[in-house]
Amino acid sequence: MSNCNVKIKINGEVIEKEIESRWLLSDFLRDKLGLTGTHVGCEHGVCGACTILLNGEPVRSCLMLAVQADGLEVETVESLAEEDGTFHPIQQAFANNHALQCGFCTPGFLMSVKNFMETHPELPTDDEIREAISGNLCRCTGYSNIIKAVKDAYVLKC
Amino acid sequence: MKQFVGQNVKRKEDYRLLTGSGKFVADMRIENMVEAAILRSPYAHARIRNIELSRAKNYEGVLDVIVAADLKGKVKPFTEFVEFTLPPQLEADIKPTIKKNPEPMLAEDKVTFVGQAVAIVLAEDRYVAEDALALIKIDYEPLPVVTDPYETIKEEAPVIHPELGNNIQSYFEVKVGDIDHAFRQANHILKTRIKTPRVSGNPLETRGVIAEYQERNQQLDVWSSTQVPFMVRSYLSKLVGLVEGNIRVVAPDVGGGFGPKCAVYPEEIIIPYLAMKYKRPVKWIEDRLEHMQSTRHSRDQVHDVEVAFRNDGTILGLKDQFLLDNGAHNSFALCCAYNSAAHLRGMYLIPNYDITGRIVLTNKTPNVPYRGAGRPEAVYVMDRIIYMIADKLNLDPVEVSLRNFVRPEQMPYETGIFYRDGANMILENGDYVKSLQQALKIAGYDEFRQKQEEARKQNKNIGIGLSSYIEGTGIGPFEGAAVKVDSTGHILVGVGSSPHGQSHETTLSQICADVFGVSPEQVSVRAGDTSLLPYGVGTFASRGAVTAGSAVHGASKQLKEKFLLITGEMLGVSIDDLEMYGGKVYLKNSPSKFVTLQEIAQAAKPGPRCKVPKGIEPGSSATYYFVPPTVTFSSGFHVAVVEVDKETGFVDILRYIVVHDCGRVINPKIVDGQIQGGVAQGIGGALYEEIIYDKNGQLVTGTYMDYLIPTAMEVPEVEMGHQEYLSPHNPMGIKGVGEGGAISPPAAIANAVCDAMRPLKIEINTLPISPNKLRSLIEEAERTESVLK
Amino acid sequence: MKPPKFSYLRPNNLQEALDMLAEYGDDAKIMSGGQSLIPLLNMRLSTPGYIIDIGRVEELKGIKEEEDAIVIGGITRHVDVEKSALVQEKCPLLTEGIRWVGHNQIRTRGTIGGSIAHADPSAELPCILTALRGEIVMVSSEEEITVSPEEFFLSYLLTSLEPNQLIKEIRFPKIKKGSGYAFEEVARRHGDFALVEVAVVIELDDDGTIADAKIALGGANSVPFIPEAAEEFLIGKLPDDSILKEAATLQLDDLDPEGDIHGSKEYRRYLSGVLLERALNRAIDRAREGVFA
Ligand SMILES: Cc1cc2nc3c(=O)[nH]c(=O)nc-3n(C[C@H](O)[C@H](O)[C@H](O)COP(=O)(O)OP(=O)(O)OC[C@H]3O[C@@H](n4cnc5c(N)ncnc54)[C@H](O)[C@@H]3O)c2cc1C
Ligand code: FES
Ligand code: FES
């Protein structure tokens, strides 16, 4: 109906809330839960800034209703670093390689890359990396440092 | 002593941005806040007959709906942006016509472009606000629309703003030498039309404003995704009639700017006004559809050029009449248009030069500067001409370039015109021949020609194209920095510039750290906040490092001097006996005798224990405003290597090379990042991006499905080479680097594509080079060729 | 850009879904992956009273093998098809083509039924399904019917689906052993909808002549286009460059693509010929090499 209850495991914590069923997952995360690391750049599925992991897979949170995530598991950029603040290897690699400028697109890239590395355990080629991040737009960096960072993340991970 | 300037110091900005704890305007929520949504004109040109708001106002969750009539007498309309008016010397020299043409806050009785703001809904949340937008009924009477710059200057064109008389808003001429004589002397004259289309900067973060007013102390706090918070403050104060000191404008983390966020928008005035009026914080976040329509666009120039040259390729003179289609308004005087006129000759001598610029108005979104601001257009014209001359004379384009360069022995070279800041435009230093040679070497130019021959035999079309640019960077009028040492010995730097990806917190801390001999870790830099300094300008026009960097350098040096004086007083010695390094002041030659910054800062406190020498203000801070004498010229060469799929018209960039001079490099990785990012935007302009309107003034490229921003699949890694000719115009020798990457790609890539298609003769004089367009050019050339045969 | 108000319904099984459709169909929109529907909602170009989210209807999910077809449930996601070993083995044209659908982050939500129902003339799946001469199985609370792509795709974004029907499954015929196949596409940027795309399956006889040719073009018409004359022309021929070129350009005049800012009518028509020739070449090479033997 026009309101509904959702129960979503977000970054390891089960959240239960009543929301309007038309609310987008991106807005739910940002406005209702304060998880503003997930950014919104286009709200029509092209820019990738809102990319999160749903049951471990990258999806556009602007192209999902929050209620569609009911009963599922969501990971956002806020879940990446360790509790003591230590970077996840992908974050470290981005910092090492100047893979961000304004940083607006960055959370989306990090989430896409996390899934990519999990599903491609062997060091990929540049072209494979390019393809993997081609669903995320960055207007600042021109991508080449992001590609370097992804390769670096493979090194840091082991 | 370790120096940090010149090192790849890791960015201080990164931690928060990588962990999702950055704060962009949209990330902020304030208790009791309402959200705004804006109704925008669906017509390009129409009279507003009637507005019916009652259903929207009565919708549940709506606080109010505001239209132009509600602002009457409360919020003044924009005047022009005085920041862009011409300095008197320049005005006297070129005697321009500039008609005042400011944009209204909300459309009142007429709309003049699709996307113009007409009404604002305030509601409990954005969902509700958007529901209410659909309930507003406006009765429009459509008026004739004009979207073409050549149509709009015709006598019979509908006049967009009757008070201006016609649609030609500005006019100016710049002349050097004797153009008629030059044309009489020439062996050849070439005439062509070269066009750079309308594009959009499209930072990934859209615009957005939040305002909160506290009645208690009349404090108005505004957070805006802007490049120029001081300018926002100034216009807010002027137009709403507020005490400037009661306004604080903050640009928090800003997700890219590139120019479009570089002036004040109506929303930045109205939203704060509404926060005051309704005594509730108000938030407005532009969505991408609004952004495509209402955030100002850029470029859109057409040049009709004639060039006179000799058989050996020497250019004797160049005439150019160009139009800049600025959309429905121009509040920026001659900004981009004059930049184009001043930069068109680039590195080339061209002793006789005659250029006329006209800024014309059409029923489209207003234009503003965007990364490169008038230079990509000029460079596209100039470097296409170099290739066309080469073609005509059957010379290699490199030879034509070399024939025409300003030579190192001619430096500093007087161009014979004024720069936009009113100073004589002088190319101060550099060696263009050497830079070009470096670029050609990286590209393997000579070997490439051989490879190209072989490829042709296998029916493969590969080509190489060059482009060069110069860019006046670091424009004034000033930038400020305040440096202070707190009582823990930590250094705090506040600057008036306002970054949105440029890494000020890192590079400026490097500069400051070197002056005090400390690690950048010991320095915190704050920016984008009008409470940091009395005056500030902002981040645009490749000016951040040059102006804010020099200001930080100056303020740090002043504070260091003061700290030496205080130490002299503390130790009872002359300051000649003191030296500062490692964050301490030492008695010369006695490494065990020192005081720390913390101790000095404490000794600087007013009061009985103060050790500040008499006649000097107590305190551990210094403020310095750097006023550049004029701009400083960066320069560079771009080389594109492409392959064209002749059958489909698709272009693949195989290699991209940049050799550039940005003076002193503060942080190499950050400089390289600016170049790579600029090139990506340039590639967008060369191959993908175009803002298109139909005949009715409807925006056809209103989403990211139609406005094509390059992805990682379309942008190659740029190979770079560096030249370091220090700027004589600032103490550290810095030149700006922010825009250079974006200036040359359209010219380099278009030249490469033409080169790839040879011996077929095609001229790419419009952008972007879409596969459809390229195929048409190829077909046309093939037809011509077969007719000739 | 926020969705308008609607009532949200989430059936737990097919029967519930069909009942809801029967009741609310006229004022309802089915939501599967939402990757085409939600952008429309965000832009308020679609304002249904009800959203029926079929995303949890297990009966509509899955990839199974039947004698001559791979049968894919309507809400099966693009990624699941992309990664399916069964699809790769029996219908590799689908594996090759589906990678062209948007980006991974779209394919993790987007579904086969959604792509077919959305009927974008430039979308990959309608073109592939048409080339394979597959079938679409639609159900309502009253009946289940199976239609061909030609019956299903009516025009630009328009299909024969009735408000009370949904796509239950889609039947992708297996590609016969010894056949060659190819999917060719060009788009302005990687991941964009195609300017033009071509799907081809070629069967060769032992003597190298073409035994069967199945072709579909996307982006070249308001619905996927089968160049029947070109197919007929090819059958029985020993393929060489000039034959393939002739076949590729035989029916260009029959194409009626929609021109837009990315490509004019003429350009798309011309491009169809270029891509068809490339696809035919590649498919024949594959058939000859017995890659799929
Ligand atoms: C950025 C971006 C890029 C894209 N690029 C491409 C591309 O290159 N190629 C391409 O093909 N697609 C592309 N798409 C579209 C994408 O593939 C969609 O996922 C797909 O078209 C629809 O599938 P869905 O499951 O998401 O359908 P939904 O969005 O849920 O539904 C789409 C339509 O189909 C109807 N519908 C859905 N399922 C059924 C069913 N079982 N029975 C009856 N009706 C149904 C819905 O009512 C709706 O009208 C892109 C999308 C985005 C956002
Ligand atoms: S905001 Fe979701 S893809 Fe752009
Ligand atoms: S770092 Fe600014 S958009 Fe990617």
Side-chain angles (χ1 to χ4, degrees):
Chain A
M1 293 277 93
S2 63
N3 272 352
C4 47
N5 271 307
V6 292
K7 189 167 162 186
I8 310 176
K9 191 167 182 186
I10 298 178
N11 298 336
E13 193 187 335
V14 177
I15 308 270
E16 264 192 277
K17 253 190 167 31
E18 187 186 327
I19 51 152
E20 243 189 298
S21 39
R22 63 166 160 168
W23 269 62
L24 298 172
L25 179 59
S26 48
D27 289 332
F28 178 67
L29 293 169
R30 293 173 47 77
D31 286 8
K32 303 289 182 202
L33 306 179
L35 293 170
T36 54
T38 299
H39 295 155
V40 166
C42 73
E43 291 175 294
H44 54 284
V46 185
C47 77
C50 68
T51 304
I52 53 136
L53 299 183
L54 182 74
N55 286 356
E57 288 177 308
V59 305
R60 310 290 206 217
S61 61
C62 75
L63 292 192
M64 262 190 86
L65 304 175
V67 55
Q68 287 180 286
D70 185 29
L72 307 180
E73 220 171 294
V74 166
E75 287 164 74
T76 69
V77 65
E78 285 89 351
S79 70
L80 288 180
E82 284 172 37
E83 220 143 83
D84 66 358
T86 310
F87 272 152
H88 183 282
I90 302 173
Q91 292 169 313
Q92 188 61 57
F94 269 60
N96 292 352
N97 290 280
H98 187 31
L100 61 153
Q101 292 181 22
C102 79
F104 193 81
C105 68
T106 310
F109 274 93
L110 296 174
M111 301 321 281
S112 293
V113 170
K114 180 167 191 253
N115 168 267
F116 175 68
M117 289 180 68
E118 281 162 6
T119 49
H120 298 75
E122 300 295 327
L123 183 68
T125 63
D126 280 19
D127 283 345
E128 286 168 328
I129 298 173
R130 282 182 187 279
E131 157 117 48
I133 61 170
S134 65
N136 292 82
L137 294 180
C138 173
R139 194 58 160 163
C140 299
T141 64
Y143 305 103
S144 73
N145 284 345
I146 298 178
I147 292 154
K148 284 180 207 156
V150 174
K151 285 190 279 191
D152 195 26
Y154 274 87
V155 178
L156 292 177
K157 199 185 56 173
C158 25
Chain B
M1 192 60 233
K2 181 163 180 190
Q3 290 279 308
F4 289 95
V5 167
Q7 306 286 325
N8 282 323
V9 171
K10 273 197 205 155
R11 291 212 324 162
K12 292 172 162 243
E13 293 83 350
D14 284 352
Y15 189 82
R16 63 175 188 272
L17 297 171
L18 281 164
T19 50
S21 44
K23 271 261 171 291
F24 296 86
V25 172
D27 299 342
M28 303 180 55
R29 299 196 65 77
I30 302 176
E31 182 99 17
N32 200 31
M33 173 178 103
V34 286
E35 292 201 58
I38 299 180
L39 187 71
R40 297 184 180 278
S41 170
Y43 288 97
H45 199 190
R47 212 178 304 289
I48 298 177
R49 284 216 205 96
N50 186 42
I51 303 184
E52 171 47 51
L53 298 175
S54 56
R55 279 183 67 213
K57 285 194 182 193
N58 292 331
Y59 188 73
E60 195 185 333
V62 170
L63 176 65
D64 208 353
V65 185
I66 294 92
V67 294
D70 300 308
L71 303 178
K72 264 238 161 84
K74 307 280 202 271
V75 180
K76 292 198 198 99
F78 274 124
T79 50
E80 66 192 313
F81 293 128
V82 289
E83 291 77 1
F84 293 87
T85 50
L86 272 56
Q89 316 85 293
L90 180 57
E91 174 113 38
D93 184 47
I94 63 171
K95 298 184 198 65
T97 307
I98 304 174
K99 302 177 194 164
K100 290 204 164 63
N101 173 232
E103 208 178 324
M105 289 288 155
L106 290 176
E108 197 172 336
D109 42 19
K110 200 174 128 153
V111 290
T112 54
F113 64 95
V114 166
Q116 188 173 5
V118 182
I120 302 187
V121 172
L122 298 182
E124 292 310 320
D125 65 44
R126 177 73 182 226
Y127 287 75
V128 175
E130 290 191 17
D131 293 345
L133 287 186
L135 303 175
I136 299 174
K137 288 277 161 291
I138 301 188
D139 181 9
Y140 289 103
E141 174 193 336
L143 296 169
V145 169
V146 58
T147 57
D148 180 88
Y150 287 99
E151 292 298 319
T152 205
I153 56 177
K154 287 188 181 157
E155 210 142 294
E156 62 272 24
V159 179
I160 299 171
H161 305 288
E163 65 280 14
L164 304 188
N166 57 33
N167 296 327
I168 302 171
Q169 187 265 339
S170 297
Y171 174 89
F172 69 98
E173 292 172 18
V174 179
K175 290 182 196 299
V176 185
D178 182 345
I179 195 75
D180 294 333
H181 183 72
F183 271 68
R184 283 196 299 272
Q185 301 292 305
N187 303 113
H188 307 272
I189 291 172
L190 193 150
K191 239 173 129 159
T192 189
R193 174 172 287 185
I194 299 178
K195 186 174 171 207
T196 296
R198 183 170 273 250
V199 292
S200 158
N202 258 293
L204 212 55
E205 182 205 22
T206 56
R207 293 183 294 130
V209 186
I210 301 190
E212 180 179 31
Y213 182 66
Q214 299 177 49
E215 272 203 298
R216 181 173 69 83
N217 54 4
Q218 284 106 54
Q219 169 79 19
L220 178 63
D221 287 317
V222 179
W223 293 266
S224 179
S225 181
T226 178
Q227 298 172 240
V228 285
F230 285 90
M231 194 170 163
V232 173
R233 180 184 66 172
S234 148
Y235 283 87
L236 249 177
S237 153
K238 268 190 238 178
L239 303 178
V240 189
L242 304 172
V243 174
E244 194 180 76
N246 285 342
I247 309 171
R248 177 183 181 198
V249 178
V250 177
D253 286 320
V254 173
F258 315 119
K261 293 180 185 170
C262 180
V264 188
Y265 280 87
E267 294 88 346
E268 288 171 305
I269 306 295
I270 308 173
I271 297 295
Y273 164 72
L274 295 177
M276 295 176 64
K277 177 173 175 187
Y278 294 95
K279 301 189 174 57
R280 286 181 72 175
V282 181
K283 176 179 188 174
W284 168 70
I285 301 300
E286 180 186 57
D287 66 35
R288 186 59 61 184
L289 297 185
E290 294 184 272
H291 184 88
M292 297 307 300
Q293 292 187 344
S294 74
T295 289
R296 296 166 188 144
H297 300 155
S298 198
R299 315 265 198 261
D300 215 344
Q301 289 190 5
V302 200
H303 292 251
D304 283 311
V305 237
E306 272 183 84
V307 57
F309 52 100
R310 279 209 293 252
N311 284 330
D312 67 354
T314 308
I315 301 174
L316 300 175
L318 189 151
K319 282 191 240 181
D320 180 11
Q321 301 222 1
F322 76 98
L323 297 183
L324 163 53
D325 177 348
N326 216 79
H329 289 277
N330 177 27
S331 318
F332 290 78
L334 301 183
C335 187
C336 282
Y338 191 78
N339 277 353
S340 295
H343 288 82
L344 194 118
R345 289 180 295 166
M347 308 182 162
Y348 307 109
L349 283 164
I350 313 183
N352 304 291
Y353 180 51
D354 187 330
I355 184 163
T356 305
R358 274 179 293 179
I359 301 178
V360 303
L361 305 179
T362 55
N363 293 114
K364 301 191 279 200
T365 302
N367 266 9
V368 288
Y370 158 49
R371 204 169 194 170
R375 289 126 185 146
E377 303 89 307
V379 162
Y380 185 50
V381 171
M382 194 60 234
D383 283 328
R384 281 300 302 134
I385 286 178
I386 295 285
Y387 268 65
M388 291 171 81
I389 293 175
D391 242 357
K392 173 101 189 183
L393 300 176
N394 223 353
L395 294 173
D396 194 291
V398 169
E399 219 172 298
V400 178
S401 290
L402 286 170
R403 192 82 69 217
N404 290 288
F405 280 147
V406 175
R407 302 257 151 196
E409 61 275 13
Q410 292 170 298
M411 300 275 192
Y413 174 74
E414 295 246 10
T415 62
I417 60 176
F418 284 114
Y419 197 74
R420 193 159 58 83
D421 59 8
N424 285 328
M425 178 170 161
I426 298 171
L427 306 180
E428 64 255 37
N429 59 16
D431 185 336
Y432 303 145
V433 178
K434 220 158 114 190
S435 304
L436 173 59
Q437 280 162 349
Q438 191 185 349
L440 295 177
K441 190 159 172 238
I442 299 176
Y445 195 76
D446 297 333
E447 305 91 87
F448 180 84
R449 289 289 176 214
Q450 236 175 328
K451 248 198 260 166
Q452 188 176 33
E453 272 317 303
E454 284 155 29
R456 276 198 190 119
K457 283 181 205 141
Q458 295 160 25
N459 247 336
K460 272 177 81 159
N461 297 89
I462 57 174
I464 192 163
L466 273 86
S467 169
S468 62
Y469 70 89
I470 55 153
E471 185 202 358
T473 67
I475 200 164
F478 69 90
E479 196 55 274
V483 177
K484 66 180 175 201
V485 178
D486 72 7
S487 48
T488 66
H490 193 80
I491 305 174
L492 296 159
V493 178
V495 288
S497 58
S498 192
H500 36 281
Q502 293 85 350
S503 326
H504 284 16
E505 290 168 47
T506 309
T507 51
L508 299 180
S509 73
Q510 288 174 255
I511 291 174
C512 176
D514 277 357
V515 174
F516 287 96
V518 299
S519 140
E521 300 285 301
Q522 211 178 318
V523 183
S524 298
V525 176
R526 300 254 148 75
D529 183 343
T530 59
S531 70
L532 293 168
L533 280 164
Y535 317 103
V537 182
T539 300
F540 52 89
S542 306
R543 70 188 299 279
V546 179
T547 60
S550 300
V552 168
H553 183 76
S556 304
K557 280 184 72 161
Q558 277 188 5
L559 188 57
K560 176 181 169 179
E561 285 306 306
K562 186 173 183 181
F563 269 35
L564 289 173
L565 286 171
I566 298 170
T567 312
E569 195 80 8
M570 288 167 82
L571 300 181
V573 298
S574 143
I575 68 160
D576 296 336
D577 298 328
L578 296 172
E579 55 188 349
M580 181 184 277
Y581 54 85
K584 300 186 180 81
V585 179
Y586 291 87
L587 197 58
K588 273 186 190 158
N589 304 323
S590 53
S592 60
K593 191 87 178 142
F594 63 83
V595 290
T596 63
L597 289 184
Q598 181 175 19
E599 288 162 337
I600 306 170
Q602 278 163 2
K605 268 189 200 162
R609 294 201 192 123
C610 181
K611 294 284 187 202
V612 179
K614 286 216 165 50
I616 301 174
E617 279 286 308
S620 59
S621 64
T623 299
Y624 178 80
Y625 290 94
F626 175 70
V627 180
T630 179
V631 291
T632 182
F633 281 89
S634 301
S635 61
F637 284 88
H638 287 209
V639 186
V641 180
V642 305
E643 177 166 356
V644 177
D645 181 338
K646 192 177 169 186
E647 280 187 325
T648 60
F650 274 72
V651 175
D652 197 11
I653 304 175
L654 303 176
R655 288 180 70 194
Y656 202 92
I657 295 125
V658 173
V659 169
H660 73 115
D661 166 28
C662 69
R664 163 99 62 227
V665 170
I666 304 169
N667 185 319
K669 249 190 194 157
I670 289 173
V671 165
D672 289 356
Q674 288 292 316
I675 295 289
Q676 173 78 34
V679 168
Q681 289 184 6
I683 289 173
L687 297 177
Y688 304 102
E689 296 178 35
E690 181 175 18
I691 290 279
I692 301 173
Y693 284 91
D694 69 10
K695 280 225 154 12
N696 300 318
Q698 293 297 327
L699 180 62
V700 181
T701 48
T703 73
Y704 270 1
M705 300 294 266
D706 310 304
Y707 189 83
L708 309 178
I709 290 176
T711 76
M713 299 292 275
E714 283 83 38
V715 183
E717 179 173 357
V718 178
E719 302 162 55
M720 287 180 223
H722 301 273
Q723 301 269 331
E724 203 166 314
Y725 292 92
L726 299 189
S727 168
H729 297 321
N730 59 72
M732 299 183 64
I734 304 167
K735 296 174 176 176
V737 69
E739 296 168 283
I743 295 176
S744 273
I749 293 167
N751 284 340
V753 171
C754 294
D755 184 60
M757 293 318 301
R758 278 152 61 96
L760 202 61
K761 228 178 147 118
I762 61 164
E763 300 299 355
I764 300 176
N765 290 346
T766 66
L767 298 169
I769 313 166
S770 70
N772 193 158
K773 198 180 287 169
L774 183 51
R775 260 314 299 174
S776 304
L777 289 170
I778 292 170
E779 273 165 31
E780 204 184 295
E782 279 173 340
R783 261 198 309 274
T784 316
E785 200 165 74
S786 71
V787 169
L788 288 179
K789 270 181 194 154
Chain C
M1 295 182 72
K2 310 293 179 196
K5 279 197 171 142
F6 51 75
S7 293
Y8 175 81
L9 305 169
R10 188 162 70 202
N12 292 308
N13 55 50
L14 186 56
Q15 193 53 52
E16 265 180 49
L18 297 176
D19 290 347
M20 286 171 182
L21 271 178
E23 188 170 353
Y24 304 111
D26 287 334
D27 190 23
K29 266 276 168 202
I30 295 175
M31 183 151 80
S32 183
Q35 301 303 287
S36 290
L37 182 56
I38 296 187
L40 296 175
L41 294 173
N42 289 358
M43 295 180 195
R44 300 202 178 209
L45 295 172
S46 173
T47 53
Y50 297 85
I51 292 278
I52 302 176
D53 176 2
I54 57 171
R56 310 263 165 128
V57 176
E58 287 299 321
E59 297 111 295
L60 297 177
K61 199 179 285 179
I63 305 171
K64 57 185 191 232
E65 183 175 2
E66 287 187 3
E67 181 158 346
D68 52 3
I70 300 297
V71 182
I72 303 182
I75 67 164
T76 312
R77 301 178 312 156
H78 296 143
V79 276
D80 296 323
V81 175
E82 187 181 344
K83 288 185 193 147
S84 158
L86 180 63
V87 173
Q88 170 74 59
E89 191 194 331
K90 306 287 179 177
C91 194
L93 175 68
L94 183 52
T95 311
E96 181 165 302
I98 205 163
R99 298 202 175 112
W100 287 85
V101 177
H103 300 279
N104 184 36
Q105 299 93 329
I106 303 293
R107 298 194 297 268
T108 50
R109 295 288 300 164
T111 66
I112 305 297
S115 278
I116 296 293
H118 193 60
D120 190 301
S122 293
E124 288 78 9
L125 287 165
C127 174
I128 294 167
L129 185 69
T130 306
L132 289 168
R133 312 291 129 95
E135 287 170 324
I136 297 140
V137 183
M138 307 186 288
V139 276
S140 66
S141 53
E142 282 146 29
E143 57 173 353
E144 179 170 315
I145 52 172
T146 300
V147 297
S148 70
E150 282 148 296
E151 292 163 314
F152 184 80
F153 298 114
L154 301 181
S155 183
Y156 181 81
L157 304 185
L158 192 72
T159 70
S160 65
L161 269 171
E162 295 292 333
N164 66 341
Q165 287 179 321
L166 60 74
I167 295 179
K168 184 178 160 209
E169 58 196 24
I170 302 169
R171 306 173 59 87
F172 290 92
K174 292 182 190 170
I175 296 181
K176 280 194 210 146
K177 290 211 186 296
S179 300
Y181 63 91
F183 184 82
E184 284 282 339
E185 165 170 336
V186 288
R188 285 296 297 279
R189 286 174 309 184
H190 178 80
D192 282 335
F193 275 99
L195 277 170
V196 171
E197 73 214 340
V198 184
V200 170
V201 184
I202 297 282
E203 210 182 313
L204 295 184
D205 271 331
D206 293 342
D207 62 359
T209 57
I210 296 175
D212 193 17
K214 295 201 196 80
I215 305 171
L217 294 148
N221 223 333
S222 64
V223 293
F225 180 80
I226 297 178
E228 283 167 16
E231 290 178 353
E232 268 165 39
F233 169 83
L234 284 167
I235 293 171
K237 296 240 166 41
L238 195 61
D240 64 23
D241 284 355
S242 73
I243 291 214
L244 296 188
K245 186 166 228 74
E246 192 175 344
T249 47
L250 200 57
Q251 278 187 276
L252 294 189
D253 289 342
D254 298 340
L255 301 178
D256 188 18
E258 188 89 11
D260 68 9
I261 53 168
H262 304 304
S264 65
K265 196 190 258 304
E266 294 71 31
Y267 176 63
R268 284 173 196 258
R269 196 181 271 152
Y270 158 83
L271 207 52
S272 303
V274 174
L275 293 197
L276 179 51
E277 190 183 339
R278 289 183 183 182
L280 288 171
N281 267 303
R282 218 150 53 77
I284 286 166
D285 284 349
R286 272 182 168 147
R288 282 183 183 145
E289 282 164 21
V291 168
F292 192 56

